Amino acid sequence: MTDPEGKPLAGVYVFTGSDARVGTVTNEEGVFRLSFPGPGDSLTFSLLGFQRLRLPATSPMEVILKPGVIQLAEVNVVLPKAVALVRKAIEAIPIRYEQKPGKSQAFYREIIRDQEADMALSEAVFEVFTFPGKKEKVLLKLVQGRSGRNVKATRLFEDFHPGGGPQEAIGFDIRLNPPTFLQNEFLDRYDYTLDSMTVLDERPVYVVRFDQREGVRKALQKGVMYLDSATAAVVRYEAGFSPRGLPYLRHLSGSDQLIAGLLRIDLVRKRLDVRADYRFREGIWEMTYAAFSFHFQYRQPKKDLDVQAVITSELVITGRSAGPVEPPVVADRWLPQNLAINLPTDYDETFWGALPVISPTTAIREVARELGGAVVGPSLRQDTVWKKLQAPFLQVMEQPSTLVLRPLVKSAWRDDRTGGMLYQNRTGDFGLEALVQVRKARDTTQAPDRGFQAGGLLIRVPDHDDAPDHLFFGLGTGGNQNLKLLIQNTIQGRSAVQPIRTESDNQWLRIERRGNEFRFLTRKEGAGDWTLVRSIRRDNWPETVQAGLAAYADFTGNGPKMYPDLQVKFSRTLLTP
């Protein structure tokens, strides 16, 4: 995506003709990625200052946008005063923007850098639930995510996150949190100037600049907003700390200030740049894109931390849902630690499937290579017989006659908790076996040596998520560095674990079902005979169960070492009727 001179255009909103609620934006290189239903569909391209364009959808596409032209007949000959425009923009917020609860899907990317190197890269697709006027205005549910970070970043954020996050990006929506320059009580503390005019989708747009007034003893903002001439609605705003207000800037407040004080954290905010874009659809304006960068200094003597860092984030609304909106149940609500702490170095974009995302630039791919783990192999084939349970919990790769599982988030097949799994449905008697090897993900020559990290065979009753019923036969750690065979019997969300000490990180495991009896067997590589380890009866289990492969990693706390570092290889897996 370029202008007529060949310059890449970033931030172009691209949406499908078949469903205008589905879209994404171009990255800084002018590249976008978007799945469309098929032949006959179209794509529409929209960017402030340029002509809107609609083209038949093809792959690949090379698109040139031309600058927009304002027709004088469409605007008033006498331009209004800037402050009058801003008043109208404030009046338009409850009228021109949806005030009902909403549900949408969004892609979010966050990069954290200090003065030395990249520290962290996180990406996720969320379901976003918004409730204007409510105390909890934004709730998120993770669809899929991944992250990579170095040890310094883990040490930095295990106690306190100084800013950023997808909630903050969604919160830049003016219908949820109008900034001070769009609040009546602050109008007399700002200077507004009508700068010029531009165009968005053939609609004339006023360009209004603002800054806090001289002598105002408060930290306010400086920037520019773009107001639709017909509705006075804000179609974009860009803002940051005003230099005039920096002496009055409060670096921390509320619970953040309390936590930082207890942990003896000193945080100084240096700079903030925010942007939010909107588009007109079906009679209302809706936010499509938000981005911000936050520069700060962070000191924590106890951890020997003294960093000058910047968080850069961007979020695009990729889809919207119609109809009534109910908040997600508490168990499904996103917490920051739910993002996958494992970013493959090959940055495989098949990770997202058909989900709309912002294409990574060359620079972002480099960050991923710096922070990612070892490349293991290609993803699971599309025509595989295996199904995924809780796919965001696992990275799954396929090698000849081998499946590789890496847990991406802290999870556990224990008590009422569940993790990721590959499975097939089986009815009646069957046998499941595999040669199981457990190693560290970041050093595949070493066995795992901390926490509860294990992989193995899992048999579970479907649709018992509230009170899980499953049997697990695996290999891994059980709270210390010693490897164990683990036999786990979970009934109605309560687990009993039988650990058996072993010296090997590579063992054949087998579970057989014979009626209501489940037999656990093992043998050494090269040996012909199986050895029965244990037998368990489950008289109340249904005929059809899920049988498959699982891996999990669980720890106490969120310290630098309390993240998954496990790779489980399942070789020559056999599931027989």
Side-chain angles (χ1 to χ4, degrees), residues 309-339:
V310 57
I311 299 174
T312 58
S313 301
E314 58 182 341
L315 176 143
V316 61
I317 303 297
T318 58
R320 298 183 188 273
S321 301
V325 176
E326 294 293 333
V329 298
V330 174
D332 287 341
R333 295 178 188 179
W334 177 75
L335 297 173
Q337 59 265 36
N338 294 149
L339 267 186

Side-chain angles (χ1 to χ4, degrees), residues 504-547:
S504 175
D505 62 2
N506 194 48
Q507 294 211 18
W508 277 97
L509 304 178
R510 179 176 172 86
I511 299 179
E512 296 177 352
R513 180 176 188 174
R514 299 292 179 263
N516 293 327
E517 181 185 17
F518 292 84
R519 306 176 70 218
F520 299 76
L521 306 100
T522 185
R523 66 180 172 90
K524 294 181 179 180
E525 171 68 350
D529 296 330
W530 291 92
T531 300
L532 179 65
V533 180
R534 188 178 174 184
S535 177
I536 296 175
R537 287 190 64 85
R538 299 303 297 267
D539 292 328
N540 59 342
W541 270 28
E543 278 290 298
T544 300
V545 296
Q546 293 173 345

Side-chain angles (χ1 to χ4, degrees), residues 402-403 434-439 444 446-448 455 474-476 483-485 502-509 522-527 567-572:
T402 301
L403 292 168
L435 177 61
V436 181
Q437 180 195 72
V438 293
R439 296 283 173 88
T444 55
Q446 301 291 321
L475 181 64
L483 284 178
K484 305 172 182 67
L485 282 174
T502 181
E503 300 297 330
S504 175
D505 62 2
N506 194 48
Q507 294 211 18
W508 277 97
L509 304 178
T522 185
R523 66 180 172 90
K524 294 181 179 180
E525 171 68 350
Q567 172 181 294
V568 186
K569 282 189 175 184
F570 298 87
S571 301
R572 288 171 274 172

Side-chain angles (χ1 to χ4, degrees), residues 94-153:
I95 301 171
R96 303 295 184 179
Y97 301 84
E98 182 62 75
Q99 298 302 310
K100 297 178 182 177
K103 180 182 177 183
S104 57
Q105 189 174 87
F107 172 77
Y108 176 77
R109 177 181 288 134
E110 177 182 284
I111 301 175
I112 304 173
R113 300 181 175 95
D114 70 358
Q115 63 269 37
E116 297 176 353
D118 298 297
M119 299 171 65
L121 168 61
S122 300
E123 299 177 326
V125 172
F126 293 101
E127 288 183 359
V128 180
F129 302 80
T130 53
F131 302 92
K134 301 294 184 181
K135 183 177 181 181
E136 278 194 294
K137 298 176 182 178
V138 180
L139 296 173
L140 301 176
K141 179 181 177 180
L142 180 67
V143 176
Q144 194 162 325
R146 60 185 179 184
S147 177
R149 60 176 56 178
N150 63 23
V151 172
K152 183 190 288 187

Side-chain angles (χ1 to χ4, degrees), residues 68-80 85 194 196-200 202-207 227-231:
V69 178
I70 300 174
Q71 302 297 329
L72 292 177
E74 298 176 1
V75 299
N76 295 322
V77 176
V78 179
L79 295 176
L85 280 174
L194 182 57
S196 58
M197 296 194 71
T198 185
V199 65
L200 174 66
E202 287 73 54
R203 302 172 70 100
V205 171
Y206 294 115
V207 182
L227 308 179
D228 177 57
S229 65
T231 64

Side-chain angles (χ1 to χ4, degrees), residues 1 35 139 170 230 279 348 431 442 465 500-501 525 530 553:
M1 179 78 61
S35 297
L139 296 173
I170 291 291
R279 71 160 176 156
D348 181 10
R442 294 197 174 256
D465 296 334
I500 303 171
R501 182 72 180 269
E525 171 68 350
W530 291 92

Side-chain angles (χ1 to χ4, degrees), residues 388-456:
K388 290 183 181 180
L389 179 71
Q390 302 194 129
F393 284 37
L394 286 176
Q395 180 186 8
V396 181
M397 293 148 287
E398 193 165 12
Q399 299 174 346
S401 71
T402 301
L403 292 168
V404 180
L405 273 60
R406 286 182 172 184
L408 296 175
V409 296
K410 290 192 290 186
S411 60
W413 284 100
R414 186 173 63 250
D415 295 328
D416 60 352
R417 299 174 63 192
T418 58
M421 176 186 182
L422 288 182
Y423 73 92
Q424 298 179 40
N425 292 315
R426 276 295 182 268
T427 301
D429 295 347
F430 64 85
L432 171 63
E433 65 183 61
L435 177 61
V436 181
Q437 180 195 72
V438 293
R439 296 283 173 88
K440 292 182 178 180
R442 294 197 174 256
D443 182 359
T444 55
T445 66
Q446 301 291 321
D449 56 7
R450 64 176 185 272
F452 297 83
Q453 301 192 89

Side-chain angles (χ1 to χ4, degrees), residues 127-187:
E127 288 183 359
V128 180
F129 302 80
T130 53
F131 302 92
K134 301 294 184 181
K135 183 177 181 181
E136 278 194 294
K137 298 176 182 178
V138 180
L139 296 173
L140 301 176
K141 179 181 177 180
L142 180 67
V143 176
Q144 194 162 325
R146 60 185 179 184
S147 177
R149 60 176 56 178
N150 63 23
V151 172
K152 183 190 288 187
T154 306
R155 292 168 60 218
L156 177 62
F157 300 122
E158 64 181 321
D159 293 326
F160 177 77
H161 198 301
Q167 289 102 328
E168 184 164 354
I170 291 291
F172 292 133
D173 191 340
I174 59 175
R175 70 191 178 99
L176 301 175
N177 299 297
T180 56
F181 54 83
L182 285 170
Q183 296 182 31
N184 280 314
E185 55 266 41
F186 286 91
L187 281 179

